[in-house]
């Protein structure tokens, strides 16, 4: 979105020059970066807004383009009622914004360039593999990554230790280089940001020898990363401010860590719930039993009621996955697997056959050929 300079200063469009000045002083004081609670980005915005609104020529230009812009960007609201105004035909809001930017850089000279040189550092992304247990309990990992960081010798100032700060010899402290061209319409002036001081108007007399005055340096940095309990495979953790630094070591980007979780042999995760199988014998399932179940935190005794069918799901509430940063947990769902014995002792077999007779069930279907022959005599 294009910036609304009136909004930034918190004044109405009809504000007088005096009101604008007062609002600017208040905001500039509030956001001054040297102050605790200051905000460099906001401070720059406020200054930018004041630069325009305090200059009657620039203000007139801005008001005109501003109105124009609003009519266009507001197409979502006014378009359908305006009749035949196809907002999308202009390539969307981005297109409009881009056009406005061009107009502004023509008027004020080099504003775009200056902004991009002082931009925020890039975000970094890296993968990390952790164990299933670690994903359940949370873990702190120490990682080392090589990135563009603030120069540790000059702390981003670009000045050699103890170096004097002098007025930029190239732009004589103006921060801008004005070029005058002769054209058939007369002399045309254009301004661009001074490349020696990046618009500061000041340079150190001796640049920092470690970073050659850039204020930034590529070097390895070791940081601790806290992975919260409950993180799922494929989720990302943002480490604020641990991306690469921007202009002169300021405005760092963020570091994003994509977490891979090694699957568990015991548990299957489904959202915030965990699934696990508990094997019981057919006798235990018939008569009921208590089994010891290992959850991710502890060992619990779980009651399997008499007559439990294979595939029955027993729920242990709140014993599942911790919901990240909430204190809540999902459930642990236990699926009962009933084990049928594959080999029986002679005595076991007799007892079960006795049971079959009691129930009047026909058995002996799996007798061997010879046993069948024997029985038929
Ligand atoms: Zn340095
Ligand atoms: Zn300069």
């Amino acid at each position: 979105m294009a910036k609304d300079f009136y909004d930034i200063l918190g004044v109405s469009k009809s504000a007088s020059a005096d009101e604008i000045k007062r609002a600017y002083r208040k905001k500039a004081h509030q956001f001054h970066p040297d102050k605790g609670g200051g905000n460099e980005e906001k401070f720059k915005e406020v200054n930018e807004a004041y630069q325009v609104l305090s200059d009657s020529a620039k203000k007139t230009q801005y008001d005109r383009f501003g109105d124009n812009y609003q009519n266009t960007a507001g197409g979502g609201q006014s378009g359908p009622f305006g009749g035949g105004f196809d907002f999308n035909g202009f390539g969307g809001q981005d297109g409009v914004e881009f056009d406005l930017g061009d107009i502004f850089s023509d008027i004020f000279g080099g504003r775009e360039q200056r902004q991009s040189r002082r931009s925020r550092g890039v975000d970094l992304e890296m993968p990390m593999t952790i164990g299933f247990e670690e994903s359940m309990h949370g873990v702190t990992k120490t990682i080392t990554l090589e990135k563009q960081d603030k120069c540790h010798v000059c702390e981003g100032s670009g000045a050699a230790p103890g170096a004097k700060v002098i007025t930029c010899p190239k732009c004589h402290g103006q921060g801008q280089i004005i070029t005058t061209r002769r054209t058939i319409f007369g002399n045309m002036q254009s301004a661009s940001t001074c490349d020696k001081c990046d618009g500061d108007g000041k340079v150190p007399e001796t640049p920092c020898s470690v970073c050659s005055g850039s204020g930034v340096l590529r070097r390895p940095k070791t940081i601790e990363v806290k992975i919260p309990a409950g993180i799922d495979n494929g989720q990302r953790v943002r480490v604020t401010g641990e991306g690469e630094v921007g202009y002169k070591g300021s405005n760092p980007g963020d570091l994003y860590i994509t977490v891979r979780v090694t699957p568990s042999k015991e548990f299957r995760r489904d959202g915030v719930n965990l699934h696990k199988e508990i094997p019981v014998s057919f006798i235990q399932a018939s008569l009921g039993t208590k089994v010891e179940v290992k959850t991710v935190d502890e060992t619990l005794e779980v009651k399997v009621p008499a007559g439990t069918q294979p595939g029955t799901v027993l729920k242990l509430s709140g014993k599942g996955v911790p919901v990240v940063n909430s204190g809540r947990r999902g459930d642990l769902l236990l699926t009962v697997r009933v084990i049928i014995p594959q080999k029986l002792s002679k005595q076991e077999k007799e007892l079960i056959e006795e049971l079959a007779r009691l129930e009047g069930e026909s058995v002996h279907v799996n007798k061997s050929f010879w046993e069948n022959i024997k029985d038929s005599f």
Side-chain angles (χ1 to χ4, degrees), residues 151-156 158-159 208-213 215-216:
C151 173
H152 56 289
V153 174
C154 64
E155 288 293 327
C208 170
S209 60
V210 178
C211 64
S212 317
V216 297

Side-chain angles (χ1 to χ4, degrees), residues 132 135-136 230-232 267-275 321:
F132 177 80
S135 79
M136 289 296 124
I231 192 99
D232 204 354
F267 300 97
R268 183 172 62 80
R269 178 169 179 170
D270 178 18
V272 295
N273 294 331
L274 289 177
H275 293 263
V321 180

Side-chain angles (χ1 to χ4, degrees), residues 130-137 261-264 267 269 274 296:
I130 62 169
F132 177 80
E133 288 282 316
E134 291 177 324
S135 79
M136 289 296 124
H137 298 116
V261 181
T262 314
S264 163
F267 300 97
R269 178 169 179 170
L274 289 177
V296 290

Side-chain angles (χ1 to χ4, degrees), residues 168-173 175-176 194-199 201-203:
C168 175
K170 187 163 182 181
C171 64
H172 309 291
Q176 283 191 331
C194 172
D195 60 343
K196 186 163 176 70
C197 64
D198 276 319
K202 287 174 194 144
V203 288

